[in-house]
């Protein structure tokens, strides 16, 4: 194929280049989701239901440290480390299932994330 007018190629170049640009639609980004607070040595709420691919933010409102640590045998292992007052930890849950977690410092603090 030959172009009758080479100038036409110059006019079409920006359109053709834009069509070949990067397409970020296949890059999965986590959906922002709920916040679980740690207050009075409890997680609130103690059960959260979310869709796959959702981020959960954990925020410590107590004046002493807590952790957000996956329960033994969980298919997703996570650990926030020690979180001081007003510190946060974010965890994304991509796969359907129920994920129990607890505070390593205060083992009676237990809760779960249900992904469905």
């Amino acid at each position: 194929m030959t172009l009758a007018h080479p100038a036409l190629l110059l006019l079409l170049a920006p359109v053709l280049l834009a069509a070949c640009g990067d397409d970020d639609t296949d890059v999965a980004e986590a959906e922002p989701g709920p916040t679980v607070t740690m207050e009075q040595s409890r997680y609130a709420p103690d059960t959260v239901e979310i869709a796959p691919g959702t981020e959960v933010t954990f925020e410590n409102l107590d004046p002493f440290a807590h952790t957000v640590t996956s329960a033994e045998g969980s298919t997703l292992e996570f650990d926030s480390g020690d979180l001081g007052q007003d510190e946060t930890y974010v965890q994304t849950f991509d796969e359907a299932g129920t994920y129990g977690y607890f505070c390593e410092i205060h083992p009676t603090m237990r809760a779960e994330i249900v992904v469905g």
Side-chain angles (χ1 to χ4, degrees):
M1 176 177 150
T2 60
L3 288 175
H5 299 286
L8 184 59
L9 183 57
L10 291 174
L11 291 173
L12 291 175
V15 174
L16 295 171
L17 289 173
C20 295
D22 290 336
D23 181 9
D24 291 333
T25 57
D26 61 342
V27 176
E29 289 189 28
E31 292 292 323
T35 297
V36 173
T37 60
M38 292 164 267
E39 191 170 19
Q40 298 178 349
S41 293
R42 293 188 178 119
Y43 295 108
D46 61 355
T47 300
V48 175
E49 295 182 15
I50 57 172
T54 301
E55 287 182 344
V56 176
T57 301
F58 299 87
E59 182 178 14
N60 182 8
L61 301 178
D62 275 335
F64 41 84
H66 291 297
T67 73
V68 179
T69 307
S70 57
E72 188 174 327
S74 179
T75 57
L76 174 65
E77 293 184 15
F78 53 92
D79 185 10
S80 64
D82 291 357
L83 297 174
Q85 185 174 22
D86 298 325
E87 290 185 322
T88 61
Y89 169 72
V90 177
Q91 177 65 50
T92 301
F93 296 86
D94 291 321
E95 302 291 326
T98 299
Y99 302 92
Y101 59 94
F102 69 104
C103 174
E104 286 189 320
I105 301 167
H106 309 98
T108 57
M109 285 179 63
R110 296 189 171 274
E112 66 182 6
I113 305 292
V114 179
V115 183

